[in-house]
Amino acid sequence: MRFSAIPSLFLLVAGAAQAASSWSFDDASISISSKKGVGEAHKETFGVKSPLQTPITLSVEDTLTVSLTAKDNGKAKRPHQAFLLLKDEETGLEAPFPLSVRESGKGKVQITQKEIPTHLLVSSRPVHATVVIGSFGSAQGLIADAFDIDIKQDPNKPAPAVPSPVRYGKKPEIHHIFREATVYPYKIFSITFAVVIAATLPILLVAWFGFLGANLSSLPKALGAAPLSHTTFFGSIFAIEFVYFLYHRGLSLGHILVPVAVLGTTAVLSGTKALGEVQRRRLAGER
């Protein structure tokens, strides 16, 4: 009985150790460097349980750099999420800044006044900074106080204007014009070109019957030999022309694609049989 209780005791201890694992960080530091490059960067260190007691001053030309090493249960590791959270204690507004973390757990983030939201820039009190680390698994996440930032504006420039917050409610009516109305040419141009095209039809008929040898007497034979093919072929041709006419009158392109595809296929199939019938009469010397 004594030996059988030992494995259970080991499992209990291992489970408690796993449940007690949590995220933390080490080697944390904050530095302030100026674009002017005057003097060395001001650098201070802080820890999980030892935040900075005095606020850090961030001017317009300064860059704030925070670096640390994330650890999971004491071992350096890359977490799923790690960011620096800036918060206005008076209004409760927050702004997260994610850290760029390597596989070794070393992370860094750089912040300037241009990246800080206007609501935090005009805060009357120092902005509070918090380190937030978390990941998948059973390890407990970390929210640790780090330091305060006293943001100093340029005295020679006006303070940035805070945009008014967006309120939910009735908005002004918006009128959308997704497509401009179709502009047709002047009627005189349309009538002129229609007359010109219609004037070519008599010339076509004269050339057809006078020079090309058209023979209307063969029409009854053609309709008698293949009535369905000839009727369907000519009917599909006129139907396609009618669809094009509707498109010219305002029918959208998407509405004519299917009819043209169906009529075109019908014209090809029926025209093949109709022309085959004409070819047979031509070989027989009936034309």
Side-chain angles (χ1 to χ4, degrees):
M1 295 296 293
R2 182 179 301 176
F3 289 101
S4 62
I6 294 178
S8 301
L9 181 61
F10 277 121
L11 292 176
L12 181 62
V13 173
Q18 183 178 5
S21 63
S22 60
W23 284 94
S24 62
F25 62 85
D26 198 1
D27 301 330
S29 64
I30 175 174
S31 62
I32 300 293
S33 58
S34 178
K35 291 184 178 180
K36 297 180 180 180
V38 179
E40 297 182 356
H42 177 69
K43 184 176 182 180
E44 295 190 35
T45 59
F46 62 94
V48 176
K49 297 182 179 180
S50 56
L52 297 182
Q53 299 300 323
T54 57
I56 299 296
T57 303
L58 181 66
S59 302
V60 178
E61 301 292 334
D62 295 342
T63 300
L64 183 147
T65 303
V66 176
S67 59
L68 53 83
T69 302
K71 292 185 176 182
D72 180 9
N73 199 22
K75 296 181 180 180
K77 188 178 179 181
R78 180 181 181 180
H80 177 65
Q81 290 184 346
F83 52 90
L84 186 71
L85 185 66
L86 302 186
K87 181 179 180 180
D88 186 356
E89 297 289 346
E90 185 176 357
T91 61
L93 297 176
E94 299 176 342
F97 294 88
L99 277 77
S100 177
V101 186
R102 301 179 181 178
E103 293 295 336
S104 60
K106 294 183 178 180
K108 183 175 69 173
V109 61
Q110 291 183 330
I111 304 174
T112 61
Q113 285 197 16
K114 294 181 180 180
E115 300 169 347
I116 299 177
T118 309
H119 296 81
L120 300 181
L121 290 177
V122 298
S123 176
S124 59
R125 299 172 55 185
V127 178
H128 185 64
T130 305
V131 176
V132 180
I133 300 176
S135 188
F136 300 108
S138 59
Q140 186 178 0
L142 172 69
I143 301 178
D145 296 330
F147 49 85
D148 293 333
I149 305 176
D150 187 9
I151 302 176
K152 298 295 184 181
Q153 300 292 333
D154 189 351
N156 299 323
K157 296 182 180 180
V162 180
S164 58
V166 179
R167 303 295 183 184
Y168 290 98
K170 185 178 180 180
K171 300 294 182 180
E173 184 178 0
I174 300 176
H175 297 277
H176 291 285
I177 301 177
F178 295 99
R179 180 182 177 184
E180 296 290 341
T182 304
V183 180
Y184 294 101
Y186 293 105
K187 290 185 178 181
I188 185 62
F189 292 106
S190 300
I191 295 174
T192 301
F193 283 102
V195 171
V196 171
I197 294 174
T200 60
L201 294 179
I203 300 175
L204 177 62
L205 294 177
V206 171
W208 192 12
F209 290 102
F211 303 100
L212 300 179
N215 188 5
L216 290 179
S217 61
S218 301
L219 183 60
K221 294 182 180 180
L223 294 177
L228 183 61
S229 299
H230 287 285
T231 305
T232 305
F233 175 69
F234 285 104
S236 59
I237 294 297
F238 284 109
I240 292 175
E241 295 296 333
F242 180 71
V243 172
Y244 285 150
F245 171 76
L246 295 179
Y247 173 69
H248 176 72
R249 296 301 302 169
L251 193 65
S252 64
L253 181 62
H255 288 85
I256 71 170
L257 291 178
V258 175
V260 169
V262 174
L263 294 174
T265 304
T266 304
V268 171
L269 297 178
S270 60
T272 302
K273 295 183 178 181
L275 293 178
E277 187 275 332
V278 174
Q279 180 69 14
R280 287 193 297 271
R281 287 190 290 109
R282 180 175 296 173
L283 295 177
E286 298 179 1
R287 290 202 62 191

